[in-house]
Amino acid sequence: MNYAIAAPAQPSLPIIGSDLRFPIRRVFCIGRNYAEHAREMGATVDKSAPMFFCKPADAVVSDGADVPYPQATSDLHHEVEMVVALGGGGRDLSPEQAAALVWGYGVGLDLTRRDLQAQAKAKGHPWDVAKAFDHSAPVSALRPAAAVHVGADTQLWLDVNGERRQQTTLGDMVHGVPQIIAALSTLFELQAGDLIFTGTPAGVAALQRGDRFHAELVGIAELDGVVV
């Protein structure tokens, strides 16, 4: 196919133990999926109505690249999250069908312009400018699901400049992975290549230029980077 301008590059992630890469279609995120984080943000969790938002695929920062400090903010926050990669899709899925779609796992940061988010919340506006900006989604290499066990006792944590900022086990999630995927499938037709950020625990805080971060989904994936 011929295009009028150069076609954008396909965003992708490396795969642990392989020379192949995982192509990214869309990036979905769930908010308020850890009760303690919801409380620290002054919010409550409605278990019957999970809250979703999106980031563009080209917001993903891969291969340990530097993370530029974004424009239009003076309060950039980290939110460490398990990232799930889908190898299939569908609509109106049951949790059992949804669980079978998981292709792999990684760890990522849902970076947030917290000052812009607070302004949006105060006015009842969408969060897009606070969440969906350039370079707002650093993600590790992916570990194929067939190679690992991810359970309620799997640990997720983030260090910044060697200091532990966030730590949890996946059992603290309000909505588990199958439930998240199933709920998303009632709103969107999911497809292979979709990434899902599954929520952040308490302890979110500011990042500054020069900060180095190390995130782990323990035993599965690690992410290192620096804010520049």
Side-chain angles (χ1 to χ4, degrees), residues 122-177:
K123 297 177 180 178
H125 290 176
W127 295 2
D128 297 59
V129 297
K131 290 286 192 178
F133 54 93
D134 299 337
H135 314 291
S136 61
V139 181
S140 69
L142 299 176
R143 178 86 63 181
V148 292
H149 169 71
V150 177
D153 59 346
T154 300
Q155 295 184 60
L156 171 70
W157 52 262
L158 171 71
D159 287 351
V160 177
N161 299 326
E163 174 190 356
R164 186 62 45 91
R165 292 277 187 90
Q166 296 181 265
Q167 185 168 10
T168 193
T169 57
L170 299 184
D172 287 337
M173 290 195 296
V174 175
H175 305 280
V177 171

Side-chain angles (χ1 to χ4, degrees), residues 36-210:
E36 287 189 13
H37 170 61
R39 283 193 290 271
E40 77 178 349
M41 299 306 297
T44 57
V45 176
D46 183 351
K47 293 184 178 181
S48 66
M51 184 190 69
F52 296 109
F53 57 94
C54 296
K55 292 176 182 272
D58 63 5
V60 170
V61 179
S62 65
D63 300 274
D66 291 345
V67 178
Y69 196 95
Q71 64 197 89
T73 186
S74 58
D75 196 19
L76 176 68
H77 276 211
H78 58 72
E79 298 190 8
V80 68
E81 310 199 11
M82 177 175 67
V83 178
V84 173
L86 300 188
R91 296 178 178 172
D92 298 317
L93 301 167
S94 68
E96 293 74 23
Q97 292 171 318
L101 300 182
V102 176
W103 186 92
Y105 299 95
V107 63
L109 297 186
D110 165 19
L111 297 178
T112 303
R113 295 193 279 205
R114 193 69 74 197
D115 44 1
L116 300 190
Q117 185 187 39
Q119 293 168 21
K121 286 181 176 180
K123 297 177 180 178
H125 290 176
W127 295 2
D128 297 59
V129 297
K131 290 286 192 178
F133 54 93
D134 299 337
H135 314 291
S136 61
V139 181
S140 69
L142 299 176
R143 178 86 63 181
V148 292
H149 169 71
V150 177
D153 59 346
T154 300
Q155 295 184 60
L156 171 70
W157 52 262
L158 171 71
D159 287 351
V160 177
N161 299 326
E163 174 190 356
R164 186 62 45 91
R165 292 277 187 90
Q166 296 181 265
Q167 185 168 10
T168 193
T169 57
L170 299 184
D172 287 337
M173 290 195 296
V174 175
H175 305 280
V177 171
Q179 289 73 34
I180 293 170
I181 298 171
L184 271 173
S185 77
T186 68
L187 301 168
F188 305 91
E189 181 176 5
L190 301 177
Q191 294 188 26
D194 289 339
L195 295 182
I196 303 172
F197 280 67
T198 58
T200 195
V204 300
L207 288 168
Q208 308 296 335
R209 293 172 180 84

